[in-house]
Amino acid sequence: MNESELDRYSRQLLLPNFDIQGQLNLAQAKVLVIGLGGLGNIAATYLATSGVGYLILADGDQLESSNLPRQVLYDESQIGLNKVDAAAKQIALKNQAVKVEVIAQKLSGDSLLNAVEQADVVLDCTDNFTARQAINRACLSLKKPLVSAAAIRWEGQLVSFLYHQHSAPCYECLYPSLSDQQLSCNESGIVAPVVGLLGVYQALEALKLASGCGKVKHGVLRLFDGFEGEWREMRLTQDPECLACS
């Protein structure tokens, strides 16, 4: 690390269980963020400013004005742009040392497998079940750690799967069947700080995985109720009929 980097990341380097080795691990890590909406824009921002060396940003959507209350990485001048291009520009302003690869399309099939294969950690920040199921199966087959989150109305949830260490349970054990309609913020609404909080939590889990510092629990579902201000936690078990991991 050079003098500028030592100064920039000095507050993280002060942590006795992180220090220089943790920062060096971050700089060498490659993190895939799938979905640059309410979750992904926040997670990508914190990963970039924390010093992750390489970010792969994947999203096929363009920025709309209705996104701005939740997607605070962007500004009004970027409405109509591809989210990945807008995000890459904003991240470059925050930390030029981070290499950013953009994929301006929705990942599926071979493109999804190729992107997941490149990454050390995968963040599922998508907003539909079809994509989440495909991401789960890709990470499971390639043994890549997956950090998945979702938020709707006043509620949010987060769960991490350490597929490089465990093969079960998986995301489909939790949700074997769910329609995209049930996951839609367009229909049900969302409180902006709730999705921001979950995006920050995803970044924290990814930072711990990428740096090798801190504890990440496999298959532990964390549920947040923003209206009541309460967290709950439950440990998942493998579904013996799961089509993905059984």
Side-chain angles (χ1 to χ4, degrees), residues 33-41 57-60 74 83-84 123-127 135:
V33 181
I34 308 177
L36 269 294
L39 296 166
N41 89 101
L57 308 179
D59 195 308
Y74 313 115
K83 287 184 180 179
V84 289
L123 272 63
D124 180 357
C125 304
T126 61
D127 61 0
I135 293 166

Side-chain angles (χ1 to χ4, degrees), residues 47-94:
L47 291 173
T49 56
S50 296
V52 169
Y54 198 111
L55 287 174
I56 306 172
L57 308 179
D59 195 308
D61 291 340
Q62 287 76 45
L63 186 66
E64 301 176 357
S65 62
S66 62
N67 299 145
L68 294 177
R70 302 172 305 285
Q71 300 172 27
V72 297
L73 176 60
Y74 313 115
D75 60 50
E76 291 180 345
S77 70
Q78 295 178 311
I79 292 173
L81 298 179
N82 289 332
K83 287 184 180 179
V84 289
D85 294 328
K89 179 180 178 180
Q90 298 295 80
I91 286 171
L93 295 174
K94 297 178 183 298

